[in-house]
Amino acid sequence: MANSTMVTEFLLMGFAEGWKLRFLYSMLFLLMYLATLLGNLLIVTITTADQNLHTPMYFFLRNLSVLDICYISVTVPTACVNSLTGHRAISVAGCGTQIFLVIFCAFVEILFLTIMAWDRCVAICQPLHYSTIINLQLCVRLTLTSLLSGLVYAGAHTGNTLQLNFCGSNEVPQFFCDVPSLLRLSCSDTSSNELSILISAVVVCGGCFVFIAMSYVRILSTVLRFPTQEQGKAFSTCVPHILVVTVFLSSISYVCLQPSVTSEGTQDIGPSVFYTIVPPLLNPIIYSLRNKQVKEAVRKVILRRVYSRKK
């Protein structure tokens, strides 16, 4: 290590080697980013403007949309600019900031998805007690608890990563800075870091998945006692949520639990896209744009604007 040069900046990997492929991927991710912004901003606007949507369910949807906007904005814009311009360098401080924000958003996203599953469970299984169990004060407390615990969780993992020594290659095999990629580049002993990632992934991802699964088992047992028409309506809102949770948690678990040995960078992009880009893109479609109340609220807003212009 005495003959090695300490790393002062990292080089992020582009989407592809050739310019044409980089341009194609950049435009694709940029369109996905813009679609994500439009969908989530629409949800935030509608759930804020329409008094009929001031309920716990839409309170969590609004928070999820705001989080998704922040989540995808941490990685995609910078990655697209870097890929198009060929400027791959990022400072150690910038890399640490990106790691912190990605972990924070991913952690809070998991908690929000878990809270939303519990909200649906109470709404379907205990409809008469829903308003007393889940009130505005509880929603605010759950949100603040999620955000504060996310700050602690992200700060701990970011600090443990940045205290390592980086004295070899500075090419990050990823289009953004993340903990597993930096562990591969470190010349320090990363066994304690890997153990903490393993334990946290099992506890957080596994615990949330078990809680969500138990919630939907209870929902399933309740829905099966509904009339046939009501069963279809209930299942149509549950299946998409389960799909997003499964994709999100499985991709995060894969990235966190894979060995920290050096491998081809292209193998890491797929799972990372699934947990950093796909959930924020799909959440507005799955949770809100398919919802009749939201559709009706959107229609009212559009008609109101058209009517005001005619005046």
Side-chain angles (χ1 to χ4, degrees), residues 164 183 188-198 260:
L164 298 173
L183 292 184
S188 302
D189 181 14
T190 61
S191 57
S192 61
N193 298 76
E194 294 172 12
L195 181 61
S196 65
I197 291 176
L198 175 62
S260 60

Side-chain angles (χ1 to χ4, degrees), residues 2 10 21 23 32 38 43 54 65-66 68 79 103 131 148 156 171 192 194 203 223 233 242 245 255 280 298 302 307:
F10 294 102
L21 280 178
F23 179 80
M32 294 173 68
L38 179 62
I43 298 307
H54 288 184
S65 294
V66 173
D68 284 337
I103 295 177
S131 59
L148 292 176
E171 294 189 7
S192 61
E194 294 172 12
V203 172
V223 169
K233 181 180 178 181
I242 295 175
V245 169
V255 172
V298 172
I302 294 176
Y307 180 74

